[in-house]
Amino acid sequence: MPAKAAKGGKRPGSKAPASKLEEAAPSEAKPTAERTKKSGTLVFANGDSYRGAYILIPDKRIERCGVGSHIYADGCVLEGVWEKDKLIGQGKVHFPDGSMYEGDLKGIQFHGKGTYTFPDGTTITGTFKKNRLQDRVVYNNPDDGENWLGKISAGDHDRLQSVKGMGQTL
């Protein structure tokens, strides 16, 4: 794979680039005589890989488009539909520790309705904005099987408060 194909990107929830793929200049997603739509597995110099649909651009860059999975060298996996080298709509993010996010994505951020599942199976469902939960959430502990309705206060993401008194179950 040519070196230019390994351009920038960020891991979900981080601000530091993990690869160089996502910094590729966006361009039209439609193939032309100079642009070839392909499908397959690409492996990058930093250890990341991408499996799915992409467009090969004449200057040897690639642009992810269509259904695909970007697998980071550390084991983090982004799955979904790509357009102009960015995730759009619904998708999944699998983390190396066994946790997972499934829901709306904007680029590589949790943005919209979604569910975060912790390694022990505990889930928290709500609306995310730039990877942060907003307002009302539903928390499910698989140990007791009950759902708890709670609220995330502005700036206080370490504490879940019940909406109508402690211990409100759904």
Side-chain angles (χ1 to χ4, degrees):
M1 177 55 54
K4 285 189 178 182
K7 291 200 170 191
K10 297 178 186 176
R11 291 200 46 221
S14 76
K15 294 186 181 191
S19 72
K20 299 266 182 201
L21 184 62
E22 289 179 358
E23 289 174 1
S27 55
E28 286 184 37
K30 295 179 183 176
T32 65
E34 299 85 30
R35 299 161 53 92
T36 308
K37 189 163 185 173
K38 295 186 171 204
S39 183
T41 300
L42 304 170
V43 178
F44 304 101
N46 67 358
D48 289 2
S49 63
Y50 173 77
R51 186 177 324 128
Y54 62 94
I55 293 176
L56 181 60
I57 300 170
D59 65 1
K60 307 241 190 265
R61 289 182 298 122
I62 62 123
E63 179 178 284
R64 296 168 289 186
C65 67
V67 176
S69 299
H70 186 103
I71 301 99
Y72 288 91
D74 69 1
C76 186
V77 179
L78 301 172
E79 297 178 8
V81 177
W82 300 80
E83 183 178 292
K84 295 184 179 179
D85 221 34
K86 296 184 186 297
L87 277 171
I88 59 167
Q90 292 276 312
K92 292 182 183 178
V93 181
H94 301 270
F95 295 94
D97 68 358
S99 58
M100 180 184 85
Y101 171 82
E102 183 171 6
D104 295 332
L105 295 163
K106 186 175 182 181
I108 57 171
Q109 292 187 335
F110 312 157
H111 199 85
K113 296 193 182 299
T115 299
Y116 188 91
T117 304
F118 294 88
D120 69 357
T122 300
T123 61
I124 192 160
T125 302
T127 301
F128 292 78
K129 184 176 181 182
K130 296 182 179 179
N131 291 332
R132 309 248 345 178
L133 279 164
Q134 306 293 308
D135 201 31
R136 292 178 185 237
V137 298
V138 176
Y139 174 86
N140 175 269
N141 182 338
D143 292 336
D144 61 21
E146 291 186 8
N147 289 325
W148 296 79
L149 177 63
K151 182 174 181 174
I152 298 289
S153 300
D156 189 7
H157 286 80
D158 296 330
R159 195 175 335 182
L160 182 65
Q161 302 166 351
S162 70
V163 174
K164 294 182 182 174
M166 293 302 285
Q168 178 184 1
T169 59
L170 299 177

